Amino acid sequence: MAGKTVTRADLAESVFRKVGLSRTESAELVETVIDEICNAIVRGESVKLSSFATFQVRSKNERIGRNPKTGEEVPISPRRVMTFKASNVLKQRILRAHIARKAKQKPANPAA
């Protein structure tokens, strides 16, 4: 599935077309929103975008891992990671799109 990647420029263009701000203002708005999300995550806060997803920072403890090439055990240091949890609304939209795509791909049964 090599689909298109949505970029900041694509988001700014969409804001430009739908909201009517100038291209510059649209790009600044997109940057401001992304910066706010990033800053909140860096501070360790959860970011919940209703009907889209929740971004959270989790602390992971130290653990023993294994180098898959050599089999050698190595300690993995404690760290903080960001998690993304899609909302049920987003999950349902993805599922509906997947089902619709599958229905379009079904070959017609040849008449016997």
Side-chain angles (χ1 to χ4, degrees):
M1 236 166 81
K4 181 185 182 314
T5 300
V6 177
T7 64
R8 290 172 190 234
D10 296 330
L11 294 174
E13 184 66 23
S14 182
V15 169
F16 167 72
R17 280 185 272 121
K18 292 180 182 175
V19 177
L21 297 174
S22 72
R23 280 196 164 86
T24 304
E25 291 171 326
S26 297
E28 288 172 0
L29 179 63
V30 168
E31 284 301 318
T32 301
V33 170
I34 291 172
D35 285 344
E36 275 301 310
I37 291 170
C38 290
N39 291 338
I41 292 168
V42 167
R43 290 189 303 266
E45 299 173 10
S46 290
V47 175
K48 182 175 183 175
L49 302 175
S50 186
S51 300
F52 179 65
T54 301
F55 300 89
Q56 288 184 312
V57 177
R58 274 187 48 212
S59 294
K60 296 186 104 181
N61 294 325
E62 182 173 4
R63 63 186 176 89
I64 300 296
R66 191 176 300 275
N67 181 332
K69 197 170 190 176
T70 64
E72 175 188 0
E73 288 187 352
V74 291
I76 298 173
S77 58
R79 62 205 183 283
R80 293 172 56 89
V81 296
M82 190 206 58
T83 61
F84 171 91
K85 184 176 183 205
S87 73
N88 287 331
V89 173
L90 178 58
K91 289 177 187 178
Q92 288 301 313
R93 285 182 68 178
I94 292 168
L95 181 60
R96 281 194 304 270
H98 175 72
I99 291 169
R101 205 171 304 127
K102 282 266 192 198
K104 287 181 183 178
Q105 292 177 352
K106 249 185 204 175
N109 290 338

